[in-house]
Amino acid sequence: MAMIATQTSLSGSSQSPRSPSTQPFLSVSVTDPAKLGNGVQSYISYRVITRTNLPEYQGPEKIVIRRYSDFIWLHDRLFEKYKGIFIPPLPEKNAVEKFRFSAEFIEMRRQALDIFVNRIALHPQLQQSEDLKTFLQVDEETMERARSQETGIFKKKPADFMQIFKDVQSKVSDAVLGKEKPVEESNPEYEKLKNYIFELEEDLAEAQKHAFRLVKRHKELGQSLSDFGKAIKLLGACEGNSLGKAFSELGSKSEMLSIKLQKEAHNLLMKFAEPLKDYVRAVQSIKATMAERATAFKHQYELAETIKLKEINLDKLMLIRSDKVGEAEIEYRELKVEGEEATKKYEMIVQLMNEEIVRFQEQKTWDVGVAFHELAKGQAQLANEIADAWRSLLPKLEACSSAQT
Amino acid sequence: MATITTRSLSGSSQSPRSPSAQPFLGITVTDPVKLGNGVQAYISYRVITKTNFPEYQGPEKIVIRRYSDFVWLRDRLFEKYKGIFIPPLPEKSAVEKFRFSSEFIEMRRQALDIFLNRIASHPELRQSEDLRTFLQVDEETMERARSQETGIFKKKPADLMQIFKDVQSKVSDVVLGKEKPLEESSPEYEKLKHYTFELEDHLAEAQKHAFRLVKRHRELGQSLADFGKAIKLLGACEGNSLGKAFSELGSKSETLSIKLQKEAHHLLMKFEEPLKDYVRAVQSIKATMAERANAFKHQCELAETIKLKEINLDKLMLTRSDKVGEAEIEYRELKAEGEEATRRFETIVRLMSEEIVRFQEQKTLDIGIAFHELAKGQAQMANEIADAWRSLIPKLEACSART
């Protein structure tokens, strides 16, 4: 289930699929990660369960098996077809080899993929995509064929794609900041938005880095408490009397607190650090869309320039009654049509982006608010449990010291 | 002030102006000051003695001492009061760049203060001439006394530490009887020896992890500070209520970072250092055990030699040799030596028995206090942390509710 809890009930899994007169819904679950294949060829497959009452889908429930590259395929198709819309981001491909199959990494990825598909299912335009239907319903062989049929950059392997994406990222900055050629929109509000997005990405990346470090420090403190507890217990076994007992109590308490810290570290990771990282990816998706917008603007601008030149040329030819007029007129008309098409595409992107920005702000404000809440709650709870644990020790320790003197 | 609370002899609350009051000897080690330049630099301390003992010059005396002076005192006491557990000193060596950090200086000052006060509290040790010298003579006289040491005490402190380390390993051999099978066959003493060795191992381990715990507190604190700054930058970038939430969260993180650093320091001074002190005390016991083993071996060997001399003397008397007179003198001298050696050994045994009891009582109290400090400090910090996070929640709820 996505963290998104807002407006539409389309992803509500509480709806019964048996009442066709009820609200239309489309809900997806990504579950049961399983390791398949051998050695370097091994990968994780997921069960993707679709529950829906939409007529375009085959039946109320469908289960398919998908792997990460299938999600990439869907992402790329949507990015190609729905220019102007912020395509929900995917979790990163690469991971340090030994970490790639750790339970934590797999769970983080599963959660991110589930959120990804559900965001698409909730989006008024994206949810109608044919590619989404394909992704959610076709069998594995058909899916694999669809994946390998991709032309252009999508023919590359995911690893290459990540590299290309990185190249695009840097080009994005250049294109969006208008460094390539001074062919960009002079829209002050859009300028403000661009600068905001770039600053936001930097600050977010920094915050997310420190959030992950915070998780690590929790783990390390927990480990330290565990080692300490064990050492103190050994001491207690060595001593006798009430002092030995005090050592044992202290040791056990430390070990217990260690477990609480590890638990909170995991909670911090899944409920705070990962959502922050998700925010970063979402902002990067916006940047990619901004690059598309800049490209579309440049394209329609260049066409407009070319059309002007063709017009001038046509007039010239008509004046001298050249026999090339006919050809030039056809060319001119074709270009004008192309120009109108390019302008239409560009304006569509602008219009979609305006709606997307509003959606994004609302959604992110909500998501970040939830994440902060989780952080404060989890930390407060951990701290209270720690305080209680130590306080419960005090009377026992007092009993020990007074018994001796 | 030492953590020792038993006797009132070190109580600085006694007025020096009432000679009929209980005898007291209170010492304070304060005001560490860095003197000298470069590699010659060192720390000097003010040692303030307040006492009503007649052997001392007046109710209050202030002298300037450095670490090597404390080492001198400890070595003199170790040499003269065999059988007594000489209070331990903090270690000499420290990583060069750490040597003048305020934390290290404070830890050392505290340990030196405890060291002197323990001597002042000890019924035998506090009567020592060397203690009086240490507490009263001026710096030049002190320096002269230090450099006059013969034998191993002529060495520089660094060398002495190495020698002490050699002794430590020899101690294990000697005490465990690995050199020669010349050791007391007292099952109770055997038990004590094994307990002491095992205790040292476990204590060192516990102290190592306690120190690591301090480090982890600092690291978590630093991480919270970095996180807080980054979140505040984010807040400046966003506007509206979300930006406000970011700022609140960032500030709160920075506050908590400070609390964690405070607790890290508290853990270090009130828990880890007392544990370390415990380790040193046990090492001091081991050194005394080595002295006892040496004394035992010495009187054993003398007894053997005396037996041989006796047999030889009888032989000479039988043969009416003219060497009898000489041999008789030798024999009598040896017997006197033997009695002296036996007396020394028995003194050590007797003193050690009393010392063990003192030690157990004192250590139990000290450790109880240290554990209490640990639990109290941790509970307090955790409560403050919980309150801080809880105070944030309504503000965060206000922010998300607006959407």
Side-chain angles (χ1 to χ4, degrees):
Chain A
M1 272 301 304
M3 277 191 328
I4 304 161
T6 44
Q7 312 90 346
T8 49
S9 57
L10 256 76
S11 73
S13 52
S14 49
Q15 297 278 9
S16 161
R18 291 186 192 85
S19 30
S21 54
T22 53
Q23 282 234 32
F25 76 92
L26 174 65
S27 149
V28 186
S29 294
V30 177
T31 65
D32 297 316
K35 184 174 172 187
L36 299 178
N38 292 307
V40 290
Q41 300 273 353
S42 56
Y43 64 94
I44 303 285
S45 75
Y46 305 87
R47 268 161 53 110
V48 178
I49 306 169
T50 305
R51 291 192 186 83
T52 178
N53 62 1
L54 297 178
E56 308 89 48
Y57 283 79
Q58 315 158 3
E61 184 174 297
K62 180 88 183 186
I63 300 177
V64 296
I65 304 293
R66 292 291 176 255
R67 54 185 291 185
Y68 182 78
S69 357
D70 299 326
F71 290 81
I72 292 182
W73 172 89
L74 177 60
H75 175 273
D76 296 342
R77 301 280 295 197
L78 295 175
F79 184 74
E80 185 64 19
K81 292 195 177 147
Y82 291 89
K83 294 194 202 293
I85 291 178
F86 304 155
I87 309 302
L90 277 176
E92 292 78 16
K93 168 68 175 178
N94 45 0
V96 175
E97 191 56 41
K98 61 175 182 172
F99 183 52
R100 200 154 65 92
F101 292 111
S102 80
E104 200 173 66
F105 177 78
I106 290 172
E107 174 55 21
M108 292 192 329
R109 175 172 278 197
R110 188 208 60 76
Q111 184 177 280
L113 293 175
D114 185 296
I115 289 171
F116 167 75
V117 182
N118 276 290
R119 281 177 174 156
I120 296 169
L122 276 175
H123 195 286
Q125 281 95 341
L126 296 179
Q127 85 199 177
Q128 299 170 40
S129 145
E130 279 283 343
D131 295 313
L132 178 65
K133 292 205 225 3
T134 304
F135 176 86
L136 290 178
Q137 302 192 98
V138 304
D139 59 54
E140 289 174 84
E141 287 120 28
T142 315
M143 188 70 236
E144 201 179 333
R145 244 181 294 132
R147 246 193 302 131
S148 42
Q149 262 167 16
E150 282 306 307
T151 54
I153 60 167
F154 303 119
K155 230 184 191 164
K156 305 259 178 181
K157 288 204 295 281
D160 300 330
F161 186 71
M162 187 46 69
Q163 186 50 51
I164 290 164
F165 186 65
K166 284 194 182 139
D167 295 337
V168 169
Q169 281 280 77
S170 48
K171 281 205 172 61
V172 160
S173 310
D174 290 344
V176 175
L177 296 175
K179 282 187 191 155
E180 278 190 322
K181 283 180 194 173
V183 178
E184 53 177 36
E185 321 170 36
S186 52
N187 176 345
E189 222 176 277
Y190 186 58
E191 272 310 302
K192 228 173 83 174
L193 180 68
K194 278 193 286 182
N195 283 315
Y196 163 75
I197 290 295
F198 273 78
E199 205 190 333
L200 182 64
E201 190 200 9
E202 267 175 29
D203 293 341
L204 267 177
E206 190 70 10
Q208 175 256 307
K209 177 178 96 179
H210 287 297
F212 270 84
R213 209 172 277 175
L214 214 57
V215 171
K216 192 166 163 228
R217 298 285 177 245
H218 275 70
K219 285 182 175 158
E220 288 167 348
L221 181 60
Q223 184 58 52
S224 197
L225 271 167
S226 174
D227 296 337
F228 173 72
K230 280 191 187 63
I232 289 287
K233 275 165 100 175
L234 276 176
L235 253 180
C238 174
E239 302 272 1
N241 61 33
S242 65
L243 189 60
K245 205 162 168 293
F247 275 111
S248 295
E249 299 263 14
L250 180 62
S252 299
K253 202 64 83 172
S254 286
E255 289 185 315
M256 190 259 283
L257 289 172
S258 166
I259 293 168
K260 287 195 199 291
L261 265 150
Q262 299 293 1
K263 214 177 97 182
E264 172 63 11
H266 181 75
N267 185 52
L268 255 185
L269 179 71
M270 303 302 285
K271 295 278 167 69
F272 185 73
E274 261 303 288
L276 261 190
K277 201 158 180 201
D278 175 75
Y279 196 166
V280 175
R281 294 181 199 126
V283 174
Q284 285 165 347
S285 176
I286 293 176
K287 282 172 72 180
T289 304
M290 285 178 162
E292 288 293 312
R293 172 167 165 161
T295 305
F297 178 79
K298 190 167 143 199
H299 184 57
Q300 61 104 19
Y301 184 82
E302 283 169 349
L303 269 173
E305 298 283 289
T306 312
I307 284 166
K308 276 202 211 116
L309 292 171
K310 287 286 176 197
E311 218 174 61
I312 291 168
N313 190 46
L314 187 58
D315 289 342
K316 251 198 268 177
L317 290 174
M318 278 167 86
L319 269 169
I320 66 175
R321 297 185 185 275
S322 164
D323 52 345
K324 291 194 179 134
V325 165
E327 214 181 289
E329 240 171 7
I330 293 169
E331 251 185 65
Y332 176 73
R333 252 175 237 131
E334 281 172 352
L335 265 176
K336 274 210 107 173
V337 167
E338 239 184 280
E340 274 156 31
E341 186 63 40
T343 303
K344 211 163 36 226
K345 279 207 192 105
Y346 166 70
E347 283 171 355
M348 172 70 86
I349 289 179
V350 172
Q351 182 217 330
L352 283 170
M353 267 188 83
N354 289 337
E355 293 163 14
E356 288 288 288
I357 290 287
V358 175
R359 275 183 101 248
F360 170 75
Q361 298 279 48
E362 278 175 10
Q363 192 58 60
K364 278 339 273 181
T365 302
W366 174 263
D367 288 347
V368 170
V370 170
F372 280 4
H373 201 263
E374 284 291 330
L375 169 68
K377 225 177 52 173
Q379 290 279 297
Q381 192 174 317
L382 172 71
N384 269 130
E385 288 177 8
I386 290 176
D388 291 343
W390 286 115
R391 275 197 207 295
S392 74
L393 255 190
L394 284 170
K396 296 177 182 173
L397 294 175
E398 276 155 11
C400 291
S401 1
S402 58
Q404 284 296 322
T405 47
Chain B
M1 275 301 303
T3 51
I4 304 163
T5 52
T6 43
R7 300 164 226 271
S8 59
L9 256 76
S10 73
S12 53
S13 50
Q14 298 275 11
S15 160
R17 292 184 191 85
S18 31
S20 53
Q22 281 235 35
F24 75 90
L25 176 64
I27 307 170
T28 313
V29 178
T30 66
D31 298 319
V33 170
K34 183 174 172 186
L35 298 178
N37 293 307
V39 289
Q40 301 270 355
Y42 65 95
I43 303 286
S44 76
Y45 305 87
R46 268 163 50 113
V47 181
I48 306 170
T49 307
K50 293 191 177 75
T51 179
N52 62 0
F53 285 14
E55 304 90 27
Y56 282 78
Q57 314 159 2
E60 185 175 299
K61 181 88 182 184
I62 300 176
V63 294
I64 304 293
R65 293 289 178 256
R66 56 185 290 185
Y67 181 81
S68 355
D69 299 325
F70 289 80
V71 175
W72 172 89
L73 176 61
R74 196 271 314 271
D75 296 341
R76 302 280 295 196
L77 293 175
F78 184 74
E79 185 64 18
K80 293 198 176 142
Y81 292 88
K82 295 193 199 294
I84 290 177
F85 303 155
I86 310 301
L89 277 176
E91 290 77 17
K92 165 67 177 180
S93 48
V95 176
E96 190 57 42
K97 61 173 180 171
F98 184 52
R99 203 153 63 94
F100 293 110
S101 80
S102 56
E103 197 174 70
F104 176 78
I105 290 172
E106 173 55 21
M107 291 191 333
R108 177 171 275 196
R109 188 210 58 76
Q110 182 176 283
L112 293 174
D113 186 298
I114 290 172
F115 167 76
L116 285 178
N117 279 289
R118 280 177 175 158
I119 296 170
S121 303
H122 195 287
E124 277 94 350
L125 294 180
R126 71 163 183 254
Q127 298 171 41
S128 147
E129 278 267 2
D130 296 312
L131 178 66
R132 282 200 282 286
T133 303
F134 178 89
L135 292 175
Q136 302 191 100
V137 303
D138 59 55
E139 288 172 86
E140 287 121 27
T141 314
M142 189 69 237
E143 201 178 333
R144 244 183 294 132
R146 245 194 303 132
S147 41
Q148 264 172 13
E149 284 307 308
T150 55
I152 59 166
F153 302 119
K154 230 184 192 162
K155 304 259 177 182
K156 290 205 294 281
D159 299 333
L160 185 70
M161 187 48 67
Q162 186 51 51
I163 289 164
F164 186 66
K165 283 193 185 137
D166 295 337
V167 169
Q168 280 280 74
S169 48
K170 280 206 173 58
V171 160
S172 311
D173 290 346
V174 168
V175 175
L176 296 175
K178 282 187 191 154
E179 278 191 326
K180 285 182 191 166
L182 257 186
E183 55 179 32
E184 322 170 33
S185 52
S186 156
E188 220 176 282
Y189 186 59
E190 276 307 303
K191 227 173 83 175
L192 180 67
K193 278 195 285 182
H194 280 117
Y195 163 76
T196 302
F197 273 78
E198 208 188 335
L199 183 64
E200 192 198 7
D201 273 351
H202 290 140
L203 268 176
E205 192 67 10
Q207 179 261 314
K208 176 178 96 182
H209 287 296
F211 189 76
R212 214 171 274 178
L213 213 55
V214 171
K215 193 164 161 229
R216 298 286 176 242
H217 274 70
R218 292 201 172 129
E219 288 168 350
L220 180 58
Q222 184 60 49
S223 199
L224 274 167
D226 296 337
F227 174 72
K229 280 192 187 66
I231 289 288
K232 277 165 102 175
L233 276 177
L234 254 179
C237 172
E238 301 273 2
N240 63 32
S241 65
L242 190 59
K244 204 163 169 292
F246 275 110
S247 294
E248 298 265 14
L249 180 62
S251 300
K252 202 63 84 174
S253 285
E254 289 183 316
T255 302
L256 291 171
S257 167
I258 293 169
K259 286 194 201 291
L260 264 149
Q261 298 293 3
K262 217 178 96 183
E263 173 61 12
H265 181 74
H266 177 254
L267 255 184
L268 180 74
M269 303 303 286
K270 293 278 164 70
F271 185 73
E272 190 272 344
E273 268 304 288
L275 259 190
K276 207 163 178 195
D277 175 73
Y278 196 166
V279 175
R280 295 180 197 125
V282 174
Q283 285 165 347
S284 175
I285 294 176
K286 282 172 71 182
T288 305
M289 285 178 162
E291 289 293 314
R292 171 166 166 161
N294 280 337
F296 177 77
K297 191 168 142 199
H298 184 59
Q299 63 110 11
C300 241
E301 284 169 345
L302 270 175
E304 294 287 325
T305 313
I306 285 165
K307 275 201 211 114
L308 293 171
K309 288 285 178 199
E310 218 172 62
I311 291 164
N312 189 44
L313 185 62
D314 289 343
K315 253 198 273 179
L316 289 175
M317 282 167 82
L318 271 170
T319 65
R320 299 185 184 275
S321 163
D322 55 345
K323 293 200 179 124
V324 166
E326 214 181 291
E328 239 169 8
I329 295 168
E330 251 184 66
Y331 176 73
R332 253 177 237 129
E333 282 171 354
L334 266 177
K335 272 209 108 175
E337 239 185 280
E339 274 155 33
E340 183 64 36
T342 304
R343 216 178 10 244
R344 279 209 201 106
F345 170 70
E346 284 169 357
T347 301
I348 291 178
V349 171
R350 175 179 50 90
L351 284 170
M352 268 187 82
S353 305
E354 294 163 14
E355 290 286 290
I356 291 288
V357 174
R358 278 182 98 249
F359 171 76
Q360 298 280 49
E361 277 175 14
Q362 192 59 60
K363 280 337 273 179
T364 303
L365 183 74
D366 288 347
I367 288 298
I369 290 172
F371 279 3
H372 203 261
E373 286 290 325
L374 170 67
K376 222 177 55 171
Q378 290 279 298
Q380 191 176 318
M381 177 187 71
N383 267 129
E384 290 178 10
I385 290 176
D387 291 343
W389 285 114
R390 277 199 207 293
S391 75
L392 254 189
I393 290 175
K395 297 179 180 171
L396 294 176
E397 274 161 5
C399 293
S400 8
R402 246 166 252 167
T403 49

